[in-house]
Amino acid sequence: MSSACLKIAALAGDGIGPEVMREALRVLRAIERRFGLQFQVTEAPVGWAGIDAAGKALPDATLQLCRESDAILFGSVGLPDRDPTIPKEERPERAALLRIRKEFGLFANLRPVRLPKILAYACPLRPERQGEGLDVLVVRELTGGLYFGQPKKTEEVIEAREGAAQPRRFHRAIDTMVYTTPEIERIARVAFQAARLRRKKVTSIDKANVLENGILWREVVTRMGQEFPDVTLEHMFVDNAAMQLMLKPTQFDVMLCENLFGDILSDEAAALAGSLGMLPSASLGSTTGAQTFGFYEPAGGTAPDIAGKDLANPIAQILSVALMLRYSFQLEEAAVAIETAVSHAIGQGLRTGDIFNPADPTALKVGTQAMGEAIAGAI
Ligand code: IPM
Ligand code: MG
């Protein structure tokens, strides 16, 4: 595909967002030079940066830019310290991140978790539990379930009590878990197709012993599985899956999860890979023609405690660029070039603080920018 027409919206957001985005764009520029490509990158504010610049977490101009782009490269949003200053509906997580997911129908969230052998020390599990290194793909449904189901509200309850002069007043918070057959089918299809390109195993996570949603989920995924006879399908309750990730993570290839379970299990899996700072993610919508509109972001948050100090690990953001090249632009060779350059920098001993091992005499502690420059240089 010619890249001349490819438009990327780069929304750095808050906290460490801008500094890791800077390194990701540095790497993208190196890719352009190496492969003779040219992308049109436009930066725009989002999150608290959007509120400060234009009064909203997702300013109209930023949303418009996203609509006109072929892919969104996102940093991270949210600064909990500032939350009390605005209503919950206007906070960046809901007003920007969840809004974009819904607006663009980004129902499939792919979170590849890899622990390279060389970073084995950063994994909290004993070496014998790590096998030949971890390689799990969490496929998380992203636009349904408890995140979006209606009703969703907090209401006041006034309860008359027999013999009491005053009624009892309290609050009741309601979130609703809703999934339809088509929603489950389309995310299951993504998981099965992904498994075909990997070790051909899908573990579908549910709570079918308690939840109506879990029963439907299991039924639909089982039926979908018949269309993929070459892929092994197993079902696992979510509580057991959380435990199995700690006990024997190498049993997993693709983990197929509904929205909230995927949110939780992907963080747990990320911890096994040494650091959230290493984890990219792709959120995809439906494919139109050759192109899949996608949203690419690190799985970690804004990390306000280390923001602006050149301490953040830019690798998750940089690997998110690789996912963008792969899934939205079908530029597999360029995607691999980024992943190889990251391995190269790590292989050379470069470490940001989150993956630094003081016991390793060959490790060199570097900052955000130096890591970005090394990776760009290796391209
Ligand atoms: C994630 C994050 C978000 C989520 C938050 C920031 C709303 O934790 O992408 O995993 O819960 O989906
Ligand atoms: Mg999360």
Side-chain angles (χ1 to χ4, degrees), residues 191-206:
F192 284 114
Q193 281 166 348
R196 271 195 171 150
L197 303 174
R198 299 169 46 95
R199 300 192 304 280
K200 298 194 169 53
K201 178 175 174 189
V202 169
T203 305
S204 176
I205 312 296
D206 63 44

Side-chain angles (χ1 to χ4, degrees), residues 58-76:
L58 184 60
D60 298 342
T62 301
L63 180 59
Q64 189 52 32
L65 171 71
C66 293
R67 290 206 177 104
E68 290 161 4
S69 301
D70 298 301
I72 303 172
L73 185 62
F74 196 84
S76 42

